[in-house]
Amino acid sequence: MVTIIGIESSCDDTAAAVIQDGVLLSSIISSQKVHESYGGVVPELASRAHQQNIIPVVDQALKKAGVSKEDLSAIAFTRGPGLMGSLLVGTSFAKGFSSALNIPMIDVNHLHGHVLAHFIKETKDDNHQPQYPFLCLLVSGGNSQIILVKSYKEMEMIGQTIDDAAGEAFDKCAKVMGLGYPGGPIVDKLAKEGDPTKFRLNKPHIPGYDYSFSGLKTSFLYLLRDELKKDPDFIEKNKADLCASLQKTIIDVLMEKLRRAAKDSGISEVAVAGGVSANSGLRAAFEDHARRYGWKIHIPPFGYTTDNAAMIAISGYFKYLDGIFCPIDAAPFSRVSM
Ligand code: KG4
């Protein structure tokens, strides 16, 4: 029996999860509320909160799974990318835990984790996993990438954002409308009541499979600036239509490149991952593409879209089976890499 505990602390969620023979036994996430009043993650506060939360979160994950520390085969942790101060908390915890229990340590790339969330089994007979090779659209607060996934350890980033991430576009545009943080889920909710064709926003023209969202953000900002001059209540009166138009534009941009990548590669197995994959419009667009283009789509359950440790534990499980461990002097890395 292989029992892996996963630790995730790359940004503002402290999480631990236990996976046994590929099946999820527990997944605990402590989300930090301290950042809400700042309208974004404050790195210094994030590391401090991780430091406070990590032991209780691990303790809860073990208790819920019904396993003791001594039952663990290995500890998997997020090595990067992410906020350095946050990563250091999880990495240092993993080192201490692995030394004390004399079990191996497995480093996991956070981006691989998001992609491999599709392989988390909730029961033994869960057989919904994608077949290699597949394409994965990874969209979160910090990433917008198209990844060609050849195996659990062979992933190629064939497209990525050259500036803002899709989640950032949602969050920043929500902020200028005076909506709360994070803005993505609020825009999603308001968009349901709005007309997505009401406002035209600029779409980027970037070669290949790369994305760009900064122009869209500026176009949104200019629209608000011009309309607010005519009517100070413009945002309040048009909130739902603004959200629907913004959401539609972001989704159109994301799907256009993904469609091109699928066509060029001849791959019709397509997955979505990361925080923005919780978006109802994006999920609907995936379903629509499945019908229109015969894609076999993979949309993760809501609990595995945003940062979680189950995805780190399953990634660690695959590495454990191949005997790929990490040295005790491993240092975290903050920059995006596959
Ligand atoms: O993967 P994630 O939890 O971590 C980061 O990379 O930060 O993603 C968070 C991002 C935020 O930008 C948030 O606004 C966005 O995912 N998000 C959404 C939705 N739920 C979360 N964006 C659009 N629609 C949603 N329903």
Side-chain angles (χ1 to χ4, degrees):
M1 195 146 45
V2 177
T3 311
I4 308 287
I5 186 160
I7 308 289
E8 157 63 30
S9 75
S10 65
C11 189
D12 59 340
D13 294 299
T14 319
V18 177
I19 277 190
Q20 195 163 62
D21 293 334
V23 180
L24 185 68
L25 299 185
S26 68
S27 178
I28 306 292
I29 304 174
S30 167
S31 299
Q32 304 174 1
K33 299 276 172 244
V34 62
H35 309 286
E36 275 170 16
S37 56
Y38 296 90
V41 178
V42 185
E44 196 76 6
L45 296 178
S47 354
R48 206 178 303 169
H50 283 305
Q51 196 67 261
Q52 289 168 330
N53 297 339
I54 193 143
I55 294 195
V57 162
V58 166
D59 195 45
Q60 243 180 298
L62 287 170
K63 280 203 181 104
K64 187 153 184 239
V67 303
S68 72
K69 298 195 287 286
E70 291 70 28
D71 298 329
L72 294 173
S73 315
I75 177 162
F77 68 100
T78 304
R79 185 167 174 184
L83 300 172
M84 186 47 83
S86 293
L87 290 164
L88 279 167
V89 178
T91 306
S92 303
F93 178 85
K95 289 183 181 187
F97 215 49
S98 110
S99 301
L101 296 170
N102 200 21
I103 53 172
M105 217 166 70
I106 302 168
D107 58 329
V108 174
N109 182 314
H110 182 79
L111 306 183
H112 285 208
H114 272 301
V115 174
L116 297 175
H118 287 283
F119 292 85
I120 299 166
K121 286 185 168 194
E122 287 181 334
T123 63
K124 255 195 204 128
D125 321 308
D126 208 339
N127 284 320
H128 63 276
Q129 290 81 7
Q131 302 287 313
Y132 298 116
F134 64 93
L135 292 173
C136 185
L137 175 70
L138 175 54
V139 270
S140 70
N143 305 285
S144 292
Q145 284 132 4
I146 299 178
I147 300 168
L148 170 59
V149 190
K150 296 175 194 161
S151 76
Y152 83 87
K153 58 183 174 188
E154 256 183 300
M155 300 192 196
E156 191 187 331
M157 205 189 290
I158 58 171
Q160 64 173 319
T161 180
I162 57 163
D163 41 55
D164 290 349
E168 237 174 322
F170 272 108
D171 295 343
K172 287 182 177 170
C173 292
K175 197 170 176 180
V176 295
M177 282 191 282
L179 306 177
Y181 173 84
I186 306 170
V187 171
D188 189 357
K189 195 163 167 229
L190 287 166
K192 291 195 172 96
E193 314 292 321
D195 173 5
T197 60
K198 181 84 179 278
F199 301 106
R200 271 183 66 89
L201 299 164
N202 280 350
K203 285 187 188 163
H205 298 284
I206 305 287
Y209 309 125
D210 284 342
Y211 289 117
S212 164
F213 288 101
S214 71
L216 167 63
K217 185 185 65 192
T218 312
S219 153
F220 191 74
L221 207 64
Y222 286 172
L223 167 75
L224 295 188
R225 188 196 58 187
D226 295 345
E227 295 296 333
L228 282 169
K229 275 189 205 149
K230 296 181 232 158
D231 177 5
D233 294 328
F234 174 75
I235 295 180
E236 201 46 51
K237 287 180 189 159
N238 294 280
K239 222 179 241 177
D241 293 340
L242 283 167
C243 288
S245 304
L246 171 68
Q247 179 167 301
K248 182 183 182 315
T249 313
I250 294 176
I251 294 169
D252 284 352
V253 171
L254 289 172
M255 295 310 287
E256 193 195 315
K257 291 291 172 90
L258 190 58
R259 223 167 28 239
R260 201 183 298 169
K263 189 165 176 250
D264 294 350
S265 64
I267 295 174
S268 56
E269 186 114 3
V270 189
V272 60
V276 181
S277 66
N279 185 271
S280 58
L282 184 59
R283 286 173 173 242
F286 260 72
E287 274 151 21
D288 176 57
H289 278 63
R291 279 189 299 271
R292 278 169 46 200
Y293 302 103
W295 286 7
K296 182 154 190 248
I297 55 165
H298 299 273
I299 303 176
F302 282 109
Y304 311 136
T305 56
T306 48
D307 290 350
N308 66 86
M311 68 186 199
I312 304 304
I314 192 72
S315 309
Y317 172 70
F318 293 136
K319 281 182 129 179
Y320 184 92
L321 295 182
D322 279 348
I324 305 173
F325 304 123
C326 150
I328 197 78
D329 61 353
F333 60 91
S334 53
R335 290 175 69 98
V336 171
S337 96
M338 289 305 288

